[in-house]
Amino acid sequence: AKSPSVPWHGELYGFRFDPVWGVGDFELESIEFHEAPPHTVLRVNGEIIDMAYMPYEEDGTAYIPFDTKSKLKHIPNMYYEWNKTAGSLTVFGNKTAVFVRDSDVAAVDGREVKMAKPLRFIDGIPHLPGDILCDILGMTLTFGEVYVDFESKK
């Protein structure tokens, strides 16, 4: 570790600040953001859904962070229940699906559907496969370079 009397200079490529109770002070002289990392934006029937966690594609599967503090919870005809004890998320729409923490199988209307990867949580947010979420909601999924579009089936 460097001595507090020796200032550090250089570039950071990632920075996360989590306020905690503790002793000590620090001072940032300046912060400059050069550009935002590439990301996609979720649109539902053309309306942009503001989300802290962006949708992404991994190994050919689109993943949607199911952040219930975002406008995602306002998708028409969708309801969800979280069972903390069982570690399960049930999403209701045109169909009902049950996702279980660390399981690679979702139950969609009682039928087992194999997912590409086990249900993962990042910062406490479940990341659902977009194709299964759209199936539950009766929507189509288009994953583009800038937008992930959920559109109601006509």
Side-chain angles (χ1 to χ4, degrees), residues 57-70:
E57 187 175 22
E58 189 174 285
D59 298 328
T61 300
Y63 289 94
I64 310 301
F66 198 79
D67 183 3
T68 57
K69 293 181 181 173
S70 72

Side-chain angles (χ1 to χ4, degrees), residues 52-117:
Y53 302 91
M54 300 299 171
Y56 58 94
E57 187 175 22
E58 189 174 285
D59 298 328
T61 300
Y63 289 94
I64 310 301
F66 198 79
D67 183 3
T68 57
K69 293 181 181 173
S70 72
K71 289 172 119 182
L72 186 67
K73 66 183 172 191
H74 299 300
I75 292 177
N77 304 316
M78 184 184 76
Y79 172 74
Y80 67 91
E81 291 179 354
W82 170 247
N83 182 326
K84 185 176 182 178
T85 305
S88 66
L89 171 68
T90 304
V91 180
F92 304 90
N94 291 358
K95 298 179 181 180
T96 300
V98 180
F99 301 90
V100 179
R101 180 187 292 272
D102 299 325
S103 174
D104 65 351
V105 175
V108 179
D109 279 350
R111 181 179 49 89
E112 288 191 353
V113 175
K114 180 98 165 112
M115 298 186 293
K117 296 184 180 209

